[in-house]
Amino acid sequence: MYNIAILASGSGSNAENIIRYFKEHATIRVAEVLTNKSDAYVLERAAKLHVPARVFNKEEFTSPSFSERLIREGITHVVLAGFLWLVPQHLIAAFPDRIVNIHPALLPKFGGKGMYGGKVHESVVAAGEKETGITIHLVNEEYDKGIHLLQASCTVVADDTADTVAAKVHDLEYEHFPRTIENWIIQTQS
Ligand code: GRF
């Protein structure tokens, strides 16, 4: 059995989609949801779907005991789904090539520190891009620099706003993120 911990900072619509996708899965399950925000809506989604969830603070996150606890709990893979903090070295060392993130743009474009959520889509529109999309990638010490597992794109047209681009990107995320996680886990199970 492979046990995923999802880390999310906000609404958690991707987290919910991933939880639902793996609900009846034979070998992969979402074991817990972790968030750095006590009022994140992802907590309500997790409760509704009967997935254990807890809130952590910066001190807990930066301490190696955070990784040790995940390992004790049997977590094998970590999924960042709208998670905004830089992942500490101890977590990367505890889960080498076992942490995946989704970025709502076609990296290396519109990536890096400060490029998250609506800011990404505003920048895409302001730059007059003709397309944007998603990048699902492994996580290393630097923001948005790990190996790409998948990119998928959508068009950006003249009438698009940051909100309409966000909606298109979310659709791509819902379509591709769970399946990419599944393929990644299955391929790396050795
Ligand atoms: C997604 O667009 C994700 O790519 C980005 O943050 C957003 C999170 O949305 N990193 P949600 O919380 O899953 O609804």
Side-chain angles (χ1 to χ4, degrees):
M1 202 70 190
Y2 299 98
N3 293 314
I4 297 172
I6 297 180
L7 272 63
S9 301
S11 162
S13 65
N14 276 285
E16 174 164 351
N17 185 45
I18 295 162
I19 292 166
R20 289 187 187 283
Y21 184 87
F22 289 112
K23 261 287 186 243
E24 309 294 328
H25 200 279
T27 55
I28 300 170
R29 69 180 185 125
V30 176
E32 60 182 346
V33 170
L34 308 174
T35 182
N36 59 310
K37 291 199 75 179
S38 57
D39 61 350
Y41 188 64
V42 72
L43 290 168
E44 287 177 45
R45 295 187 195 263
K48 201 176 62 191
L49 294 162
H50 310 292
V51 174
R54 67 186 156 87
V55 181
F56 57 84
N57 62 28
K58 197 103 198 184
E59 196 185 333
E60 290 166 321
F61 192 51
T62 51
S63 161
S65 60
F66 185 90
S67 293
E68 287 156 14
R69 176 168 176 176
L70 294 191
I71 290 181
R72 252 196 337 271
E73 289 169 337
I75 298 301
T76 56
H77 294 76
V78 176
V79 171
L80 311 182
F83 181 66
L84 299 182
W85 285 355
L86 183 65
V87 174
Q89 180 55 42
H90 66 76
L91 195 61
I92 291 165
F95 294 91
D97 294 329
R98 297 290 187 275
I99 307 175
V100 74
N101 181 45
I102 190 160
H103 186 78
L106 296 171
L107 292 174
K109 285 184 165 182
F110 307 103
K113 202 167 192 313
M115 270 293 170
Y116 60 87
K119 289 182 196 166
V120 177
H121 307 309
E122 282 161 23
S123 305
V124 165
V125 171
E129 294 290 307
K130 297 280 180 279
E131 64 165 13
T132 187
I134 58 169
T135 304
I136 298 171
H137 64 92
L138 298 186
V139 172
N140 61 22
E141 297 85 339
E142 284 183 89
Y143 278 108
D144 302 332
K145 292 273 176 68
I147 291 168
H148 293 180
L149 299 180
L150 179 122
Q151 289 193 304
S153 58
C154 57
T155 56
V156 181
V157 295
D159 286 351
D160 269 323
T161 63
D163 286 345
T164 59
V165 171
K168 291 183 194 181
V169 166
H170 260 123
D171 284 346
L172 287 177
E173 295 183 331
Y174 303 147
E175 182 184 348
H176 294 286
F177 202 12
R179 211 152 14 103
T180 303
I181 292 167
E182 182 181 26
N183 292 338
W184 164 62
I185 292 178
I186 288 168
Q187 278 162 20
T188 57
Q189 62 182 277
S190 55

